[in-house]
Amino acid sequence: MENKISKIGVFTSGGDAPGMNAAIRAVVRACTYYDKTSLGIMRGYEGMIEGDVIKLDARSVGNILQRGGTVLKSARSKEFRTPEGRKKAYDNIKKQGIDALIAIGGDGTFTGLHKFYEEFGVPSICIPGTIDNDLAGTDYTIGYDTATNTAVEAIDRIRDTALSHNRLFFIEVMGRHSGYIAINSGIAGGAAAVIIPEEATSFDELWELLEEGGKTNKKSNLVVVAEGSKIGDAHALARQVKERSSYFDIKVTVLGHLQRGGAPTYFDRVLASHMGVGAVEGLLQGKSDVMVGVRDRKIVYNKFDDIMSKIHEIDAESLRIAKILSI
Amino acid sequence: MENKISKIGVFTSGGDAPGMNAAIRAVVRACTYYDKTSLGIMRGYEGMIEGDVIKLDARSVGNILQRGGTVLKSARSKEFRTPEGRKKAYDNIKKQGIDALIAIGGDGTFTGLHKFYEEFGVPSICIPGTIDNDLAGTDYTIGYDTATNTAVEAIDRIRDTALSHNRLFFIEVMGRHSGYIAINSGIAGGAAAVIIPEEATSFDELWELLEEGGKTNKKSNLVVVAEGSKIGDAHALARQVKERSSYFDIKVTVLGHLQRGGAPTYFDRVLASHMGVGAVEGLLQGKSDVMVGVRDRKIVYNKFDDIMSKIHEIDAESLRIAKILSI
Amino acid sequence: MENKISKIGVFTSGGDAPGMNAAIRAVVRACTYYDKTSLGIMRGYEGMIEGDVIKLDARSVGNILQRGGTVLKSARSKEFRTPEGRKKAYDNIKKQGIDALIAIGGDGTFTGLHKFYEEFGVPSICIPGTIDNDLAGTDYTIGYDTATNTAVEAIDRIRDTALSHNRLFFIEVMGRHSGYIAINSGIAGGAAAVIIPEEATSFDELWELLEEGGKTNKKSNLVVVAEGSKIGDAHALARQVKERSSYFDIKVTVLGHLQRGGAPTYFDRVLASHMGVGAVEGLLQGKSDVMVGVRDRKIVYNKFDDIMSKIHEIDAESLRIAKILSI
Amino acid sequence: MENKISKIGVFTSGGDAPGMNAAIRAVVRACTYYDKTSLGIMRGYEGMIEGDVIKLDARSVGNILQRGGTVLKSARSKEFRTPEGRKKAYDNIKKQGIDALIAIGGDGTFTGLHKFYEEFGVPSICIPGTIDNDLAGTDYTIGYDTATNTAVEAIDRIRDTALSHNRLFFIEVMGRHSGYIAINSGIAGGAAAVIIPEEATSFDELWELLEEGGKTNKKSNLVVVAEGSKIGDAHALARQVKERSSYFDIKVTVLGHLQRGGAPTYFDRVLASHMGVGAVEGLLQGKSDVMVGVRDRKIVYNKFDDIMSKIHEIDAESLRIAKILSI
């Protein structure tokens, strides 16, 4: 079975995440190790449709594992959502002699590749690369560790000012559907409260927490808000607090895209390295339509349907800890 | 003359800036060196009015020079703007036996201290501590070097994403009246354009620059916008570009308060150390109503009126260089 | 059972590790949460013998979770190894009314506490705080994540020079008995080879790897050597390579103590937070003579004897990945 | 005069320094701006002799200004020290049509180019790129600001451990002939003492300082030692202190090559940008055999002979400040 695959195409798609380059490097070097050829498809599905493909070897991925972003670039492709677009992509892949695909990205990327696999049967494996850590089937996604550290560094800076002025800060971090970055940067940043999409904190509960902190003379008050907050974004929450009391001197910072970039942490590089090798080895073992993941520090492969039907739930223990420590 | 001063009160006021703690430490240790007593006045003029004063010695300022923010805290004081408030402050200072003052802050802080000096004649020196570098009479203010590096690190992260997606980013940095952070983080961040309060770039000129970059196939497009932009803030500029063309995939990031905090750079710590010693020595030499500054790497003292009547102009050469390099 | 414990003493001992302060804070705030009193014992067993103890409450541990080192300080105590020393320590503990102990440190710390528990029966729990990640019974120790990132940042800097000069660098990282920092900073730093205490790499094998890299035109050559290397330290290995061939331009850097300090990563802060709360809850549940750990993202408690009889083995998979990627 | 030069060759030589890439980029983009052609000579004089030359344009230097090291690589060339080597280099330069040279490096680089200029008359300008800041004719050299910040970050980490254990650390920083990094990282790192090549501190004076710190209960003791110390390196000094007293718990860290790499600070990028443009404009104005520098924030050009006959003296004021603050 193994010898049927000889040319593997790798690409990145969706939002970029730190560690994607480490994953690309691992895929390419694992190909070299197993005497397979690797090709890089530029700009995700867009480059697949346009035939924008480059040759990659062990040397061409030198000195990239420490860089943020993706050297293969990424793009959103409307055309790939059409049957005609996917047909074009398939024709290009055949022309290049690519007989298996590895995609690095998030759920949008996976959905596209799943459809493509169903239509054309090209062996395919996905690597979870997204800062949100919002995918079932893996304990961690590539980029999440770095993004959370970036958020915490920013919170540390903001705390300097909060402490110096006895201010209340609302800090918005990424996570449209997932509170992973928020809850963990909140614990690590010593937040008084964390607002995440998964948990039904009401504004009154938030208010109570802030009031209590005031009473017990808490030195700084930071509230970390996930993008996907159900009770209003950071600006909206700040406004509501202001309306209820003039006690607090309030500021808002939205960290935004700065959480996506930067040199990946060791954790993301090592995770990406394991997953990149795991993806190649999975293909060579005949796996397809799966996502490679890491559970309890071991490589696992989960079927696309299994992953997409579940959500990556927030650890209830973390929520509990966050509350105890914000005393 | 020297021996008239025996107890110096030091305080921080206005927005905090990285390096303020290094300045406090330098003031206190210089006092120890010259056998003077130093007292810390908490929360600026607020603490002066309330008599919130602590004793400081060489040991109590240990292990603070690497910390952002200010251990003496800062606040805005409405009461100090009234004659009654200032009278209270003066009475407290007399009660404490403080016979000279050193303030670390920006122009608002200086104006307050100048008025106080005129009314009560307490010998006073200001140390320029503000990230904006917007004070005449010194080449650099404390905190500016750190803030610009923080902005550049953020821009570096954002560039990873900009490059991966061929996006156009508008990045707003601090500087309500001054383009220092913007122009220098713009040059250092490889910005396609920099919008500052001091220069009359029109939207059409900006548009032209962006279009040219598109033509010559520039890989990333970053526009750095100072808070005090005269042609609209980062969000407004992004909107205008979107309205004129759908060519660009545009995102906006407002760096905000994260530029204020963090461990100061070596430059800010050394600058603060020189200025802190300089302030104490200035007082002992009989100087008053002046700001200590550094010009061409030498300590200088300028009268309050001289400083406040001038602005710290942006180096024309930097504007020229920024344009050549954004080719 | 729970209500028997009302005053918990916490201390740090052995080499400091980033995240120890976050663990102290978590212990103290969990005590507040469960209406228990917490005392800080200064300088480990030394302070226990001398009765150097401070009161801690939720506010006194504010603004420390982001700091490296330990606010309770650490020391080695010869006297505690004697029965007389331990008796003194016990008397002090009784005098203070402390009825349970939480120690943060490594195996030396644990051994001391175990002996103390056997002799005096004071309920005791250990929290693993050491950068080496060399303790069985937990997937991660506090400080390891930060130290590995610090090592990787240093390797990234050194790679800039290695690449610019086509040089071979030997970089020595911490780990006297454990290759965790070495293997993971090696993978993350793109090392050509990693020398760890657990694996019997011969000098000839190392030589072969370096030669191969030369042949395939590898751009940089970094060898990461754990302190506990069995075939010579970084300087010795560099000497041997020089003796065998003048082909390589070789430099050595020993990272040393700089790996111990710095602001902890989010991971170490969150780990320390979970463990700190876990230690208090363990004591309240009647556990003693155990180490709190995290296995597969869940809090576990292991008996002292179980932990000390095992070693924390290096993941064989990581060794395999390191080899594939150094192609 | 201006139109005589149409093709400029740029190269880096000697030890790499952060900001060299920003200087290369500035040279190339200034060439584009003035309608000149730019070529990159690889590996300094080595590549000149071998004819290893690449074409550079505005796009090929995109996304390099934030990277440490040098994309043109660097090497030491023995052959260039011979008349035959220089003749070969000259022939290659003629063949390529290069009619002016810009070298980025330190005094060794400049001496080579000066000789070459004297022999063959090729218009030449040097840009000071070295972390040591040891060149007369400029206030700052490229890389110095970054290296000093790197040293200070390392010292900050080490201070965490020093404070936690009440230890004395000797930290060796770069600077074979110059104490710039040492004195400024010493002030910024809160060192108890700084040992530099330019100043005749005796061991007894050092000893006295350390003893005094002990007496006044100084919390940490850090001694920063420049590589070029005249009274022994960090290891030797530590040994001497140990021999005289067992009071101190002493450790040594040699920062080494990690000071050379890393992303340049904003200051180094902006400095390099100004100097790169300044070098091209100098050549076009007919200047030759000069080094471009920055004095009091203005571009200056100094003749090679003027620079080499002077040393870049340490600011006496900094030495004075260092002493006052180590109280």
Side-chain angles (χ1 to χ4, degrees):
Chain A
M1 171 142 290
E2 194 182 307
N3 50 6
K4 283 197 187 147
I5 289 175
S6 72
K7 215 180 226 177
I8 294 176
V10 59
F11 62 97
T12 50
S13 175
D16 63 322
M20 280 186 161
N21 285 326
I24 295 167
R25 171 179 176 269
V27 165
V28 171
R29 294 209 169 164
C31 284
T32 305
Y33 184 82
Y34 289 111
D35 273 328
K36 307 298 170 189
T37 304
S38 55
L39 294 176
I41 301 166
M42 301 300 294
R43 290 171 300 121
Y45 297 117
E46 204 65 14
M48 211 184 275
I49 290 169
E50 297 174 14
D52 190 357
V53 170
I54 57 169
K55 256 208 112 211
L56 294 173
D57 62 29
R59 285 298 76 80
S60 57
V61 292
N63 200 26
I64 67 165
L65 94 161
Q66 81 276 24
R67 294 202 197 139
T70 159
V71 294
L72 297 180
K73 301 211 170 202
S74 184
R76 278 163 216 284
S77 172
K78 277 187 200 163
E79 206 179 342
F80 194 77
R81 292 199 201 134
T82 65
E84 296 75 30
R86 290 194 295 275
K87 183 62 175 56
K88 266 198 220 169
Y90 179 69
D91 291 344
N92 269 317
I93 275 175
K94 282 288 100 177
K95 213 169 75 187
Q96 298 278 356
I98 291 172
D99 40 30
L101 289 170
I102 293 174
I104 309 167
D107 53 3
T109 306
F110 296 1
T111 305
L113 194 58
H114 175 64
K115 201 158 189 77
F116 194 69
Y117 171 74
E118 288 189 321
E119 290 176 357
F120 302 103
V122 183
S124 312
I125 288 193
C126 290
I127 297 176
T130 160
I131 63 168
D132 287 346
N133 204 25
D134 59 352
L135 290 165
T138 191
D139 292 339
Y140 300 105
T141 58
I142 297 168
Y144 162 67
D145 189 80
T146 306
T148 309
N149 275 313
T150 303
V152 169
E153 277 168 41
I155 292 172
D156 280 354
R157 291 177 186 276
I158 290 169
R159 194 196 300 103
D160 285 342
T161 295
L163 276 168
S164 298
H165 293 269
N166 290 329
R167 265 182 195 154
L168 168 60
F169 266 93
F170 284 86
I171 301 166
E172 190 169 305
V173 300
M174 283 197 165
R176 228 166 296 174
H177 309 289
S178 168
Y180 264 97
I181 294 178
I183 190 73
N184 282 297
S185 67
I187 293 176
V194 180
I195 309 297
I196 57 173
E198 292 94 337
E199 215 205 11
T201 313
S202 69
F203 178 75
D204 286 336
E205 286 169 303
L206 171 63
W207 175 256
E208 222 173 284
L209 273 166
L210 295 177
E211 257 198 321
E212 249 169 63
K215 273 183 229 149
T216 63
N217 208 16
K218 220 168 176 308
K219 287 176 201 157
S220 74
N221 268 313
L222 303 173
V223 179
V224 173
V225 184
E227 239 181 331
S229 155
K230 298 277 168 59
I231 57 167
D233 66 12
H235 282 291
L237 289 171
R239 242 187 334 262
Q240 286 182 69
V241 172
K242 254 180 219 165
E243 278 163 20
R244 198 173 288 197
S245 159
S246 63
Y247 174 79
F248 296 106
D249 178 9
I250 305 173
K251 298 279 172 186
V252 177
T253 300
V254 178
L255 296 185
H257 274 82
L258 95 104
Q259 293 162 86
R260 287 205 173 282
T265 56
Y266 105 83
F267 189 95
D268 275 330
R269 298 188 203 182
V270 169
L271 182 71
S273 297
H274 280 260
M275 285 179 168
V277 173
V280 171
E281 294 183 339
L283 280 175
L284 298 184
Q285 289 157 18
K287 291 190 174 64
S288 192
D289 199 30
V290 299
M291 181 188 89
V292 64
V294 167
R295 300 285 316 228
D296 299 342
R297 286 150 308 117
K298 280 187 185 52
I299 285 286
V300 293
Y301 301 90
N302 283 284
K303 275 285 171 188
F304 171 80
D305 288 333
D306 284 354
I307 293 159
M308 299 309 278
S309 58
K310 287 174 196 150
I311 65 159
H312 191 196
E313 282 182 49
I314 282 280
D315 186 14
E317 186 63 7
S318 289
L319 297 176
R320 202 176 72 84
I321 296 294
K323 261 160 210 158
I324 291 176
L325 298 184
S326 65
I327 273 180
Chain B
M1 171 141 291
E2 194 182 306
N3 49 7
K4 283 194 188 151
I5 289 175
S6 72
K7 214 179 228 179
I8 295 176
V10 58
F11 62 97
T12 50
S13 175
D16 63 321
M20 279 184 162
N21 285 327
I24 294 166
R25 171 180 177 269
V27 166
V28 172
R29 296 211 167 162
C31 283
T32 306
Y33 184 83
Y34 288 110
D35 273 326
K36 306 299 169 190
T37 305
S38 55
L39 294 175
I41 301 164
M42 300 301 294
R43 290 170 300 121
Y45 297 115
E46 204 65 11
M48 211 184 278
I49 290 169
E50 298 173 12
D52 191 356
V53 170
I54 57 170
K55 257 211 106 202
L56 294 173
D57 62 27
R59 285 300 76 78
S60 58
V61 292
N63 200 27
I64 67 166
L65 94 161
Q66 80 278 21
R67 294 203 197 138
T70 159
V71 294
L72 297 179
K73 301 212 172 206
S74 183
R76 277 163 218 286
S77 171
K78 276 186 202 164
E79 206 179 341
F80 195 77
R81 291 197 203 133
T82 66
E84 296 75 29
R86 290 193 295 274
K87 183 61 175 54
K88 268 198 221 169
Y90 178 69
D91 291 344
N92 270 316
I93 275 174
K94 282 288 100 175
K95 214 169 73 187
Q96 298 279 356
I98 291 172
D99 40 29
L101 290 169
I102 293 174
I104 309 168
D107 52 4
T109 306
F110 296 0
T111 304
L113 194 58
H114 175 65
K115 200 155 190 76
F116 194 70
Y117 172 74
E118 288 188 322
E119 289 175 359
F120 302 101
V122 183
S124 312
I125 288 195
C126 291
I127 298 177
T130 159
I131 63 169
D132 286 348
N133 203 24
D134 58 353
L135 291 166
T138 190
D139 292 339
Y140 301 105
T141 57
I142 297 168
Y144 162 69
D145 189 80
T146 306
T148 309
N149 275 313
T150 304
V152 168
E153 275 168 41
I155 293 172
D156 280 355
R157 289 176 188 274
I158 291 170
R159 193 196 299 104
D160 286 342
T161 296
L163 275 168
S164 299
H165 293 269
N166 291 328
R167 264 181 195 154
L168 168 60
F169 266 92
F170 284 85
I171 301 166
E172 191 169 304
V173 300
M174 282 196 164
R176 228 166 297 172
H177 309 291
S178 168
Y180 264 96
I181 295 178
I183 191 74
N184 281 298
S185 67
I187 293 176
V194 180
I195 309 297
I196 58 173
E198 292 93 337
E199 213 204 14
T201 314
S202 69
F203 178 75
D204 286 335
E205 286 169 304
L206 171 62
W207 176 258
E208 220 172 286
L209 272 166
L210 295 177
E211 257 198 322
E212 248 169 62
K215 272 183 226 148
T216 63
N217 208 18
K218 219 166 177 309
K219 287 175 202 162
S220 75
N221 268 313
L222 304 173
V223 178
V224 173
V225 184
E227 241 180 330
S229 155
K230 298 279 169 60
I231 57 167
D233 66 13
H235 283 290
L237 289 172
R239 245 186 334 263
Q240 286 182 69
V241 172
K242 255 180 218 164
E243 278 163 19
R244 197 174 287 197
S245 159
S246 63
Y247 173 79
F248 295 105
D249 179 9
I250 305 174
K251 298 279 173 189
V252 176
T253 299
V254 178
L255 296 185
H257 274 82
L258 95 104
Q259 294 162 87
R260 286 206 174 280
T265 56
Y266 103 83
F267 189 95
D268 275 330
R269 299 188 202 182
V270 170
L271 181 71
S273 298
H274 280 261
M275 285 179 170
V277 173
V280 172
E281 295 182 340
L283 280 175
L284 298 183
Q285 290 156 18
K287 291 189 173 66
S288 190
D289 198 31
V290 299
M291 182 189 88
V292 63
V294 167
R295 302 286 316 227
D296 300 342
R297 285 149 309 116
K298 279 186 187 53
I299 284 287
V300 293
Y301 302 91
N302 283 284
K303 275 283 169 191
F304 171 81
D305 288 333
D306 284 353
I307 292 159
M308 299 308 278
S309 59
K310 289 174 195 147
I311 64 161
H312 191 196
E313 282 182 49
I314 283 279
D315 186 14
E317 186 63 8
S318 289
L319 298 176
R320 201 176 72 85
I321 296 293
K323 263 163 208 154
I324 292 176
L325 296 184
S326 65
I327 272 182
Chain C
M1 170 140 292
E2 194 181 308
N3 49 6
K4 282 197 189 149
I5 289 174
S6 73
K7 215 181 228 179
I8 295 176
V10 59
F11 62 98
T12 50
S13 175
D16 63 321
M20 279 185 163
N21 285 326
I24 294 166
R25 171 180 178 268
V27 166
V28 172
R29 295 209 168 164
C31 284
T32 305
Y33 185 83
Y34 288 110
D35 272 327
K36 307 297 171 192
T37 304
S38 55
L39 294 175
I41 301 163
M42 300 301 294
R43 291 171 299 121
Y45 297 116
E46 204 64 12
M48 210 184 278
I49 289 169
E50 298 173 13
D52 191 357
V53 170
I54 57 170
K55 256 211 108 205
L56 293 173
D57 62 26
R59 285 300 75 80
S60 58
V61 292
N63 200 26
I64 66 165
L65 93 162
Q66 80 278 20
R67 293 202 198 140
T70 158
V71 294
L72 297 180
K73 301 213 172 204
S74 184
R76 277 163 218 286
S77 171
K78 277 187 201 163
E79 205 178 344
F80 195 76
R81 292 197 203 136
T82 66
E84 296 74 30
R86 290 194 294 276
K87 184 61 174 57
K88 267 197 220 169
Y90 179 69
D91 291 344
N92 270 316
I93 276 174
K94 284 286 100 175
K95 212 169 73 186
Q96 298 278 354
I98 291 172
D99 41 29
L101 290 169
I102 293 174
I104 309 168
D107 52 5
T109 306
F110 296 1
T111 305
L113 194 57
H114 175 64
K115 200 154 190 77
F116 194 70
Y117 172 74
E118 287 188 322
E119 290 175 358
F120 302 102
V122 183
S124 311
I125 289 195
C126 290
I127 297 177
T130 159
I131 63 168
D132 286 348
N133 203 26
D134 59 353
L135 290 166
T138 191
D139 292 338
Y140 300 104
T141 57
I142 297 168
Y144 161 67
D145 190 79
T146 306
T148 309
N149 275 315
T150 303
V152 169
E153 275 168 41
I155 293 173
D156 280 355
R157 290 178 188 274
I158 291 169
R159 193 195 300 104
D160 285 342
T161 296
L163 275 168
S164 298
H165 292 269
N166 291 328
R167 265 181 195 155
L168 169 60
F169 266 92
F170 284 85
I171 301 165
E172 190 168 303
V173 300
M174 283 197 164
R176 228 165 297 172
H177 309 291
S178 168
Y180 264 96
I181 295 178
I183 190 74
N184 281 298
S185 68
I187 293 176
V194 180
I195 309 297
I196 58 174
E198 292 93 337
E199 214 205 11
T201 313
S202 70
F203 179 76
D204 286 336
E205 286 168 304
L206 170 63
W207 175 257
E208 220 172 284
L209 271 167
L210 296 177
E211 256 200 321
E212 248 169 59
K215 272 183 225 149
T216 63
N217 208 17
K218 220 166 177 306
K219 287 174 203 161
S220 74
N221 267 315
L222 304 173
V223 178
V224 173
V225 184
E227 240 180 330
S229 156
K230 299 277 169 60
I231 56 167
D233 66 13
H235 282 290
L237 289 171
R239 243 185 337 260
Q240 286 181 68
V241 171
K242 254 181 219 163
E243 279 162 20
R244 197 173 287 199
S245 159
S246 63
Y247 174 77
F248 295 105
D249 179 8
I250 305 175
K251 299 278 172 188
V252 177
T253 299
V254 178
L255 297 185
H257 273 81
L258 98 103
Q259 293 162 86
R260 288 208 173 278
T265 57
Y266 103 84
F267 190 94
D268 275 329
R269 299 188 203 182
V270 170
L271 182 70
S273 298
H274 279 261
M275 285 179 169
V277 173
V280 172
E281 295 183 339
L283 280 175
L284 298 183
Q285 290 157 18
K287 291 188 174 66
S288 191
D289 198 30
V290 299
M291 181 188 89
V292 62
V294 167
R295 302 285 317 225
D296 300 342
R297 284 148 311 115
K298 279 186 187 51
I299 285 287
V300 293
Y301 302 91
N302 283 284
K303 275 283 169 192
F304 171 81
D305 288 333
D306 284 354
I307 292 158
M308 299 309 279
S309 58
K310 289 174 195 149
I311 64 159
H312 192 197
E313 283 182 50
I314 283 279
D315 187 13
E317 186 64 6
S318 289
L319 298 175
R320 202 175 72 82
I321 296 295
K323 263 161 207 156
I324 292 177
L325 297 185
S326 65
I327 273 182
Chain D
M1 171 145 289
E2 193 182 310
N3 49 7
K4 282 196 188 149
I5 289 174
S6 73
K7 214 180 228 176
I8 295 176
V10 59
F11 62 97
T12 50
S13 175
D16 62 322
M20 280 185 162
N21 285 326
I24 294 167
R25 172 180 177 267
V27 166
V28 171
R29 294 209 169 164
C31 284
T32 305
Y33 185 82
Y34 288 110
D35 273 327
K36 307 297 169 190
T37 305
S38 54
L39 294 176
I41 301 165
M42 301 300 294
R43 292 171 298 122
Y45 297 116
E46 204 64 13
M48 210 184 277
I49 289 169
E50 298 173 13
D52 190 357
V53 169
I54 57 169
K55 257 210 109 204
L56 294 172
D57 62 28
R59 285 299 74 79
S60 57
V61 291
N63 200 27
I64 67 165
L65 93 161
Q66 81 276 23
R67 295 204 196 139
T70 159
V71 294
L72 297 180
K73 302 210 170 205
S74 184
R76 279 163 216 285
S77 172
K78 278 188 202 164
E79 205 179 343
F80 194 76
R81 292 199 201 133
T82 65
E84 297 74 28
R86 290 193 296 274
K87 182 63 172 57
K88 266 198 219 168
Y90 178 69
D91 291 345
N92 270 318
I93 275 176
K94 283 288 100 175
K95 212 168 76 187
Q96 298 278 357
I98 291 172
D99 40 30
L101 289 169
I102 293 174
I104 308 167
D107 52 5
T109 306
F110 296 0
T111 305
L113 194 58
H114 175 64
K115 199 153 191 79
F116 194 69
Y117 172 73
E118 288 190 322
E119 290 176 357
F120 302 103
V122 183
S124 311
I125 288 193
C126 291
I127 297 177
T130 160
I131 63 169
D132 287 346
N133 204 25
D134 59 351
L135 290 166
T138 191
D139 292 339
Y140 300 105
T141 57
I142 297 168
Y144 162 68
D145 189 80
T146 306
T148 309
N149 275 313
T150 303
V152 169
E153 276 168 41
I155 293 172
D156 280 354
R157 290 177 188 275
I158 290 169
R159 194 196 300 104
D160 285 343
T161 296
L163 275 169
S164 298
H165 293 269
N166 291 328
R167 267 184 193 150
L168 168 60
F169 266 93
F170 284 86
I171 302 166
E172 190 170 304
V173 300
M174 284 197 163
R176 228 166 296 174
H177 309 290
S178 168
Y180 264 97
I181 294 178
I183 190 74
N184 282 297
S185 67
I187 293 176
V194 180
I195 309 297
I196 57 173
E198 291 93 336
E199 214 205 10
T201 312
S202 70
F203 179 74
D204 286 335
E205 286 169 303
L206 171 62
W207 176 256
E208 220 172 286
L209 272 167
L210 296 177
E211 256 199 321
E212 248 168 62
K215 273 182 228 149
T216 63
N217 208 15
K218 219 167 178 307
K219 287 175 200 159
S220 75
N221 268 315
L222 304 173
V223 179
V224 174
V225 184
E227 240 181 331
S229 156
K230 298 276 167 61
I231 57 167
D233 66 13
H235 283 290
L237 289 171
R239 245 187 331 264
Q240 287 182 68
V241 172
K242 255 180 219 164
E243 279 162 19
R244 197 172 289 198
S245 158
S246 63
Y247 173 77
F248 296 105
D249 179 9
I250 305 173
K251 299 279 173 186
V252 177
T253 300
V254 178
L255 296 185
H257 274 82
L258 96 104
Q259 294 162 86
R260 288 206 173 281
T265 56
Y266 104 82
F267 189 96
D268 275 329
R269 299 188 203 182
V270 169
L271 182 71
S273 297
H274 279 261
M275 285 179 170
V277 173
V280 171
E281 295 182 339
L283 280 175
L284 298 184
Q285 289 156 18
K287 292 189 174 63
S288 193
D289 198 30
V290 299
M291 181 188 88
V292 64
V294 167
R295 302 285 318 226
D296 300 343
R297 284 149 311 115
K298 281 189 185 51
I299 285 287
V300 293
Y301 302 90
N302 283 284
K303 276 284 170 190
F304 171 81
D305 288 331
D306 284 353
I307 293 160
M308 299 309 278
S309 57
K310 288 174 196 149
I311 64 160
H312 191 196
E313 282 181 52
I314 283 278
D315 187 13
E317 186 63 8
S318 289
L319 297 175
R320 202 175 72 84
I321 295 295
K323 261 159 211 160
I324 292 177
L325 296 184
S326 65
I327 273 182

